[in-house]
Amino acid sequence: MLHCNEFASAADGGVKIIFETELGVADFLLPNKSSVLYVSECDIIAGSGYKRKVVRYRNAGSSFQELVLVEKTRLSEQYFPAVQKFVAFDLGLSLLPVSGQADASQLITQMVHGEARENPFRRKSSSRLLDPLVLALVQQIPGVGKVKALVLLRHFSSIQQLCNASPAELEPIVGQAGAQQIHSFFHKHTAGT
């Protein structure tokens, strides 16, 4: 369950939050034509009920770009690979792990402040990947700082290409250890099966 008061108090930077009961299955509709569904740690640990929520979200057929934020904490970490596989690979939705509501509010605040720009999750051209939000997202990969993120974004024209890159493709860019770490980050679900 999303605790709106906690989320609202975490949001800062001049973002106006309007509570609305008619959003449908989305938790947030943003001015940049993105809709956000928030899957909490409780949703994940409680069982597969989150799957119905995500499927309803995908099937709503919104004209908005769909984004699923998933709480990845110490308690939900063991379930995360299955959630990632279901949301990103099975349903084809964009998934971003967040550490909690404060992290999610910061991400949404960044997206709202970027409303004058186009949606960073829409694939247009490779130059869009140097958007500060996309850069920040790539930096969430363990072992990837700003310099490595910039280099990766120059070599791969989309986040999907980066995700699908083999260790052999990554190694000339970030070295063997970095390549393994990046590949493992995107393909954790295959290690447990």
Side-chain angles (χ1 to χ4, degrees), residues 25-26 29 33-35 56-66:
V25 292
L29 297 178
K33 297 293 185 189
S34 293
S35 67
R56 280 196 332 263
Y57 177 66
R58 185 200 60 183
N59 291 343
S62 164
S63 61
F64 285 70
Q65 180 69 30
E66 297 162 326

Side-chain angles (χ1 to χ4, degrees), residues 44-168:
I44 295 167
I45 294 172
S48 62
Y50 75 89
K51 289 183 177 182
R52 285 189 298 279
K53 180 178 171 181
V54 176
V55 169
R56 280 196 332 263
Y57 177 66
R58 185 200 60 183
N59 291 343
S62 164
S63 61
F64 285 70
Q65 180 69 30
E66 297 162 326
L67 175 64
V68 180
L69 298 182
V70 177
E71 264 189 43
K72 184 178 180 186
T73 65
R74 286 187 307 150
L75 292 175
S76 66
E77 189 171 34
Q78 65 182 329
Y79 305 103
F80 186 78
V83 174
Q84 181 181 30
K85 179 186 179 303
F86 179 73
V87 173
F89 296 111
D90 295 348
L91 298 180
L93 294 171
S94 299
L95 176 143
L96 291 174
V98 293
S99 61
Q101 292 181 6
D103 196 19
S105 70
Q106 288 175 342
L107 177 62
I108 290 172
T109 300
Q110 288 176 341
M111 292 173 71
V112 169
H113 284 301
E115 71 184 57
R117 301 183 304 239
E118 290 185 28
N119 184 331
F121 297 101
R122 292 190 195 272
R123 289 185 215 133
K124 294 282 184 184
S125 69
S126 60
S127 65
R128 290 296 304 145
L129 289 176
L130 295 180
D131 179 276
L133 178 58
V134 176
L135 180 64
L137 295 175
V138 174
Q139 289 176 350
Q140 296 299 311
I141 301 169
V144 175
K146 186 173 185 174
V147 173
K148 279 187 186 177
L150 286 168
V151 171
L152 287 166
L153 291 172
R154 286 190 193 111
H155 280 84
F156 297 97
S157 62
S158 71
I159 297 287
Q160 186 173 16
Q161 282 187 349
L162 177 60
C163 177
N164 293 330
S166 69

Side-chain angles (χ1 to χ4, degrees), residues 19-46:
F19 295 95
E20 179 64 52
T21 58
E22 303 299 320
L23 289 178
V25 292
D27 290 316
F28 302 95
L29 297 178
L30 307 180
N32 67 349
K33 297 293 185 189
S34 293
S35 67
V36 178
L37 180 70
Y38 189 81
V39 179
S40 72
E41 172 186 75
C42 295
D43 293 332
I44 295 167
I45 294 172

